[in-house]
Each structure stands twice: as C-alpha cells, then as structure tokens.
Amino acid sequence: MTTVGCAPTGTSLPPGIDTPFVLYGHRSSPHIGAVGATIPPVVRALNLSPAARAWDFLSIALSVIAADESCTRTTSADGWTRQIKLTVAVIDPHFWSTAAPRLEEALRFLTADIWRLEFIGGGYLPAPPNPVKVRTEDVVCLLSGGMDSLIGAMDLVADGHVPFLVSQIAKGDKHDQRTFAQRIAKQAMHLQVNHNASPPGRSERSQRARSMMFFGVGVLAATCLQKYGQGAPVQLFVPENGFISLNVPLTPMRLGSLSTRTTHPFYLAKLQELLDAAGLRVKLVNPYQYKTKGEMLAGCKNQLLLKQLIGSTTSCGRYARTGFRQCGRCVPCLVRRASFLKWGVADTTPTYKYDALGTPGRRFRDFDDVRSVAVAVHTVDTHGAEEWIGGALNSAIVGDAALAQGVAERGLDELKKFLQVQGVL
C-alpha cells in the first residue's frame, strides 16, 4: 500500500507517509509534491468567499488527484489496481472521517483502486476578502472547452439562466474557454483554475481521478452564490452526452476503469450522497444523460452561435501529445466526428492528424480505439446489443436501464455510420 499525505504549509503530516504533498503551496524540496497552489490567489482576486466545507471538499479533491498522479500502476500486483492510503488535512476531520466509507466507495468505482482515507486537522481556510463579492448567478456550469459543455452553457442561457462558469485549464484550452464564456454569457463570472499537481517522482498517466477537480471547484463556486447564502440549493450542471458518460466497454478487454467513469451516473450519485451528508446544498445535474452527442448538437437551442464556435472545441484524449491538434481516431475524436455526421452539418474542426481513417496505408486497424469500435459494431450486428452491453447497464448503477441502453445503442449507431462513411466498415 502506498501512503500519500496532503496538508497546507504549517500543518504536520503523521509519520510514515511515502509521498507528502503541500496543499495550496509550492514545492520546497524535490521529495515533496505540491497541488493547488494557484487556486487561492485566483479566488481571492475575485473577492469570493466560499463555505468552509467547500474548501474541505476541494482539498479532498486535490489530494485525490495528487495521489492518483503520484502512485504508478506498474508497481501494482496486476499492473493496474493500486492500494492507496490517503491522509488529508481538513477543517472538520471528525465529519469527513464519518464520510470516508462513502467517498472510498465512489473513488473505488472511479479509479478501480483500493482507497483508504484518513483525515487530520489543520485544513486550509483563508480569511474572507474585504469586501466579499456575492455572486448573483443562479446556477453553476462546468465549461471544459469541449463540445458538450459548450452546448450545456448555451442551453442554460437560452433557458433564461445566468450561469457561473467554471473551467479547469488544460494545455491549449485556456484562450478558447475564455472566448466561449465571453460569447455565451458575457455578464457572468468565469472561474478558470488548474490543479497544478506536481508529484515528487514519476507521474502516472492514466489519471482516472481528474474529474474530482471539476467537482471540487464547481462546489466551491456554488457556495459563493447569493442564493446559496440565502439557504437555497444550487444546481451544478455537468454537461456530458450519455454515450460517453455511461462508457460501455467497447470490447471485453476494456472493462473496468480502462474505460473512464468521470461522469458515470453511479459515480455522480455517490458524490451527491457525499455532498448531501456534508450539508453542501449543491445538486449535480447532467441534463444530457440520455442523449447522444449528435442529438445534443441537433437539439442545441442556439444553433447560430453553436455553428460559429463548435469548430474551436476540443474533444481529443491525446490533444497535448499530438501537438495541440486533435488526433481524429481516439474514442472521443470518433464520437465527435460521428456527431457532426448525425447533426448534418459540416465538421469545422481544424484538420485532424488522422483524417481519412480508411485510406490505404494508414493502418487504422492497428489503432486500438478504431478497432474496438469496429468490434463493438460487429458484435451488435451479429449477436445483438445485449451481447455487447452485458452487465454494464445494470439498473443498480445506471438508474433507468432501458433509457441507458437506448442512448448506448444510438451512440454506437452514430459511430457505425461514421466508420461506414470513412470506409472502415
């Protein structure tokens, strides 16, 4: 078991920690990691005063990301599943200790690792700014720079909402996120931050816990709204198409957390239970749980603005690794390209690195994601959808199994039609 500890400067971690991290601070030694250093200055500069328990939730989220990035999977017995003991400094260690089993269950589902969480005092709580700026936005919406969050924010504005937009800065996305926010809701607050996790050693690339940052900052923002201070719940919108959210493994080789679960309904439900227990009046909402990406494009309530901005969005899972150019052949890219076909509008994305997947010599079948989609399509065509889905959409983890299966099948059908056009099928 690997032990990771995260605490602000001035708070001592217990002995026996393998990998210590400074929360909201900078590295003072090559043997100590750091995470979240840039967040407090940004929050303070905006004169925001989040709730104490929201700071605790963000501290936990950042600590989970620190542990996820610093614990390599190659050293585990099966090459994937890790045993992680995480100690986090929080303001209210007694409450979070009682909530630990619920959080451990959510994290185990998210990352497929065995987590053990412990909490100590000395958590981060900054003095409120003077003056405090109480925000009048009525909802919070995550704005990643991708297609789904762009549509989500535009639909909220079209429905008369004023969203507080929250972005996690990723390489190559910062400028586009700002452009989207300005074009969608110029009068609204836009909070852009980065976890800046810096492990003291080798970094684990799988990073299955990365969505914790989004939820942590989203909850932080929600507690800054006027309506939250008045005792009302605040909706935190997490726009994600149902096909990617459910992420049914394309083949038996992609089971478990080999397929990401960042917005899976079971994971969101467990986080909601945690927020409710913490008295954080924030309601997680994915209004597109049963829509495909193509259906989201077709149903967007501001088609004119969508067509102007959609080409600048980013979907690629390998964006930074391909020189800030979308590869065109990973699963997110394939779903993106298929959604344009479903929408019936020309794809305005700058050229994909691998544009023509069916071109001789491209060896597309040697790329796992394209091959896996083709296998899933063949399985459904030959044996039916139930053979492909298996037990992945059990009602105990997805809620309405019939609706979940419907969006999974329609999403795969969008991919099928795209691969047929490409000459892959």
Side-chain angles (χ1 to χ4, degrees):
M1 178 176 288
T2 304
T3 60
V4 180
C6 299
T9 301
T11 298
S12 298
L13 289 166
I17 299 293
D18 297 324
T19 310
F21 274 81
V22 177
L23 266 174
Y24 308 111
H26 298 281
R27 297 177 64 175
S28 59
S29 162
H31 306 295
I32 299 175
V35 63
T38 60
I39 297 175
V42 173
V43 172
R44 184 167 53 250
L46 296 174
N47 290 101
L48 302 177
S49 183
R53 197 153 280 182
W55 276 115
D56 268 357
F57 184 68
L58 179 59
S59 295
I60 294 168
L62 290 170
S63 299
V64 167
I65 290 171
D68 186 37
E69 288 207 18
S70 62
C71 298
T72 57
R73 294 188 181 276
T74 54
T75 58
S76 61
D78 63 358
W80 186 261
T81 308
R82 301 164 298 182
Q83 296 186 53
I84 303 171
K85 179 181 177 183
L86 175 61
T87 301
V88 186
V90 290
I91 303 160
D92 187 355
H94 174 72
F95 165 74
W96 292 108
S97 294
T98 64
R102 183 178 282 116
L103 183 54
E104 289 167 353
E105 182 182 13
L107 292 175
R108 183 162 191 167
F109 180 83
L110 179 65
T111 72
D113 300 306
I114 301 169
W115 291 81
R116 179 182 169 190
L117 302 180
E118 293 185 351
F119 299 97
I120 60 174
Y124 182 79
L125 181 62
N130 186 17
V132 172
K133 178 64 175 177
V134 179
R135 301 303 309 179
T136 57
E137 291 86 357
D138 62 333
V139 296
V140 176
C141 182
L142 305 185
L143 185 69
S144 66
M147 295 171 72
D148 293 3
S149 65
L150 178 74
I151 294 169
M154 287 196 293
D155 282 352
L156 285 172
V157 172
D159 288 338
H161 291 288
V162 181
F164 186 129
L165 301 173
V166 171
S167 298
Q168 174 175 294
I169 300 169
K171 290 181 179 179
D173 278 347
K174 186 175 183 178
H175 174 74
D176 287 333
Q177 289 171 350
R178 287 181 176 174
T179 299
F180 297 157
Q182 285 289 309
R183 296 289 303 277
I184 295 168
K186 188 174 182 178
Q187 74 280 20
M189 171 65 75
H190 181 210
L191 175 61
Q192 283 184 296
V193 291
N194 193 298
H195 58 68
N196 293 122
S198 177
R202 179 183 172 189
S203 181
E204 167 59 44
R205 295 184 65 180
S206 61
Q207 298 179 16
R208 289 297 185 255
R210 59 187 178 273
S211 66
M212 284 292 292
M213 171 68 176
F214 250 146
F215 295 116
V217 179
V219 169
L220 199 78
T223 66
C224 297
L225 300 192
Q226 184 179 61
K227 67 183 296 185
Y228 186 90
Q230 294 172 341
V234 173
Q235 290 180 304
L236 170 55
F237 284 84
V238 187
E240 182 83 272
N241 72 84
F243 183 80
I244 288 293
S245 173
L246 293 166
N247 217 345
V248 176
L250 292 167
T251 72
M253 295 300 292
R254 299 168 71 104
L255 291 173
S257 65
L258 291 174
S259 288
T260 57
R261 296 165 165 178
T262 54
T263 61
H264 192 283
F266 181 81
Y267 173 55
L268 293 188
K270 290 302 173 183
L271 284 186
Q272 187 64 66
E273 290 178 9
L274 184 66
L275 295 176
D276 292 345
L280 288 162
R281 298 183 303 280
V282 181
K283 303 302 177 184
L284 304 178
V285 181
N286 180 6
Y288 309 105
Q289 185 63 64
Y290 301 118
K291 286 191 175 184
T292 68
K293 206 179 199 76
E295 291 165 353
M296 286 182 66
L297 286 168
C300 179
K301 298 174 181 179
N302 191 338
Q303 289 286 312
L304 179 62
L305 185 58
L306 178 65
K307 290 174 183 176
Q308 292 173 3
L309 299 179
I310 198 67
S312 299
T313 60
T314 304
S315 302
C316 187
R318 296 170 172 81
Y319 189 59
R321 281 177 272 169
T322 54
F324 304 109
R325 180 183 180 188
Q326 304 195 68
C327 75
R329 65 180 189 178
C330 66
V331 169
C333 276
L334 295 173
V335 172
R336 174 193 182 91
R337 300 177 72 179
S339 71
F340 276 102
L341 185 64
K342 171 68 176 179
W343 188 24
V345 174
D347 189 341
T348 54
T349 307
T351 306
Y352 297 99
K353 182 176 180 179
Y354 301 97
D355 193 13
L357 300 180
T359 301
R362 287 287 190 183
R363 299 183 63 80
F364 62 85
R365 291 186 181 87
D366 290 342
F367 190 73
D368 181 65
D369 285 7
V370 178
R371 182 172 61 248
S372 294
V373 171
V375 169
V377 169
H378 176 74
T379 299
V380 172
D381 286 348
T382 306
H383 303 290
E386 288 75 13
E387 178 72 18
W388 165 52
I389 292 170
L393 300 182
N394 186 296
S395 60
I397 62 171
V398 300
D400 192 316
L403 289 175
Q405 178 165 337
V407 74
E409 289 185 37
R410 297 195 309 277
L412 187 64
D413 189 60
E414 289 182 14
L415 286 167
K416 174 183 177 180
K417 288 181 169 61
F418 172 69
L419 292 189
Q420 287 175 334
V421 168
Q422 284 282 311
V424 174
L425 294 177

